[in-house]
Amino acid sequence: MDPPDHNVLRRMLISEFSVRRVREMRPGIERTVHGLLDGILEQRGPVDLVAELALPMSTLVICQLLGVPYEDREFFQERSEQATRVGGSQESLAALLELRDYLDRLVTAKIETPGDDLLCRLIASRLHTGEMRHAEIVDNAVLLLAAGHETSAGMVALGILTLLRHPRALAELRGDSTLLPQTVDELLRFHSIADGLRRAVTEDIELGGITLRAGDGLIISLASANRDESAFASPDGFDPHNPASQHVAFGYGPHQCLGQNLARLELEVTLGAVVERIPTLRLAGEVDALRVKHDSTIFGLHELPVEW
């Protein structure tokens, strides 16, 4: 959407991702992450951190956000992973449609039995006032799932891989947990996984000495901006001491990522817990090359085999 419709809808959702609201989610996210790590540490031999930590963490946080009942979480996790799988297969589409049907029923159930979660608050403040329709709440729930699942999981896996490949930075973080927020920002800058924004020119402009005409289409590379040598020292290297807070990994302007506070919290909690609880973590084999989801340019890992 573009303004003004986009502005109206964004205002309806933005309070759900405020610093205060996201901070309230922290205990639940910590329980989720530590529960997953408990299961990992009970295993013997190498484990795949994508399948055992990154993906389920992302799914379970979305479950917490939307108020998915505990007994439905296994179904929700399985369908979410299938629906956001790279390649756009018929199986992925079928899983996405199943999730939409599920969320449709979930919204209906929450209308009948109100609670305290994002869907219930939208029902109370937007649906009952006529500002949103039932289908709009369902579609935005699907959008939140699609936007926040693969990206958060991918950043967790890539973040752990990057720290393991930079032992000095990992040792420093292990000795000083206050470095975690700036380490997360540097990882976001370094990887820029939600890349390839599409925009259309609305009026003739000149940009970088090139004339762009109204109606021209643009694909904007956030990764290129985040590797700009005029903005960042040693832009192609990973250094948690880089002043990376001005990165544009979450976009910029009116379409800047709505869930960036939640994404940062997921990364801080998950990376912090892994660093603290598994001090001998190491790669267990060769990691698959980065994969690319060409239609949205999302980078991730097939698997991350580790042991300790």
Side-chain angles (χ1 to χ4, degrees):
M1 286 184 173
D2 286 317
D5 293 337
H6 171 263
N7 298 348
V8 172
L9 184 58
R10 188 178 177 95
R11 281 196 295 270
M12 291 181 185
L13 290 166
I14 198 165
S15 63
E16 293 295 332
F17 297 94
S18 67
V19 173
R20 180 186 64 82
R21 181 74 75 184
V22 167
R23 190 182 297 126
E24 292 172 354
M25 293 182 65
R26 186 178 191 109
I29 295 173
E30 289 176 340
R31 285 193 297 272
T32 293
V33 170
H34 285 286
L36 292 169
L37 288 178
D38 287 343
I40 288 171
L41 290 170
E42 288 174 359
Q43 300 183 46
R44 293 187 176 276
V47 299
D48 176 5
L49 278 192
V50 173
E52 300 287 343
L53 178 64
L55 283 170
M57 179 282 299
S58 179
T59 305
L60 293 171
V61 169
I62 293 173
C63 287
Q64 179 185 342
L65 179 71
L66 298 179
V68 173
Y70 185 84
E71 59 271 20
D72 295 342
R73 291 189 174 196
E74 187 173 333
F75 163 85
F76 196 85
Q77 179 175 327
E78 178 185 304
R79 295 303 188 277
S80 297
E81 291 176 16
Q82 182 68 50
T84 57
R85 194 167 294 169
V86 168
S89 65
Q90 286 299 316
E91 291 80 6
S92 295
L93 177 59
L96 183 63
L97 293 175
E98 281 190 70
L99 276 172
R100 194 194 183 283
D101 288 344
Y102 171 83
L103 289 167
D104 192 355
R105 296 192 300 271
L106 184 63
V107 170
T108 299
K110 289 180 181 295
I111 292 172
E112 298 171 356
T113 310
D116 184 22
D117 52 63
L118 183 147
L119 292 180
C120 289
R121 288 189 290 271
L122 285 179
I123 289 166
S125 64
R126 307 300 178 185
L127 180 66
H128 292 329
T129 62
E131 294 178 87
M132 293 183 79
R133 295 177 289 110
H134 179 109
E136 287 179 306
I137 293 179
V138 174
D139 287 339
N140 278 281
V142 174
L143 178 62
L144 292 173
L145 168 65
H149 185 266
E150 176 84 4
T151 47
S152 293
M155 270 308 306
V156 164
L158 288 169
I160 295 170
L161 175 62
T162 303
L163 288 171
L164 290 175
R165 287 180 167 172
H166 293 80
R168 182 178 298 179
L170 177 57
E172 195 171 4
L173 178 60
R174 192 167 279 135
D176 183 3
S177 61
T178 64
L179 294 173
L180 196 51
Q182 67 193 62
T183 300
V184 166
D185 268 322
E186 173 65 354
L187 286 167
L188 289 163
R189 180 201 70 81
F190 186 65
H191 289 295
S192 306
I193 65 169
D195 202 3
L197 299 181
R198 294 169 178 81
R199 295 291 182 265
V201 181
T202 57
E203 60 184 62
D204 292 0
I205 59 170
E206 185 173 302
L207 184 64
I210 299 173
T211 299
L212 303 174
R213 303 297 182 185
D216 284 349
L218 297 177
I219 298 177
I220 301 166
S221 172
L222 297 180
S224 179
N226 281 337
R227 299 291 183 94
D228 185 350
E229 62 274 7
S230 68
F232 304 102
S234 304
D236 292 327
F238 170 74
D239 181 0
H241 295 286
N242 270 336
S245 61
Q246 299 303 309
H247 66 76
V248 289
F250 291 114
Y252 186 80
H255 292 282
Q256 190 174 32
C257 176
L258 190 69
Q260 62 179 288
N261 291 324
L262 179 57
R264 280 192 170 93
L265 181 60
E266 288 177 285
L267 287 167
E268 286 187 22
V269 170
T270 307
L271 296 179
V274 169
V275 168
E276 176 188 357
R277 294 192 59 186
I278 319 180
T280 56
L281 189 72
R282 62 183 181 271
L283 290 174
E286 290 298 317
V287 178
D288 285 352
L290 289 176
R291 69 188 187 195
V292 184
K293 186 177 182 181
H294 293 284
D295 59 340
S296 59
T297 320
I298 292 176
F299 297 86
L301 289 171
H302 288 290
E303 59 183 19
L304 181 56
V306 294
E307 58 189 3
W308 53 92

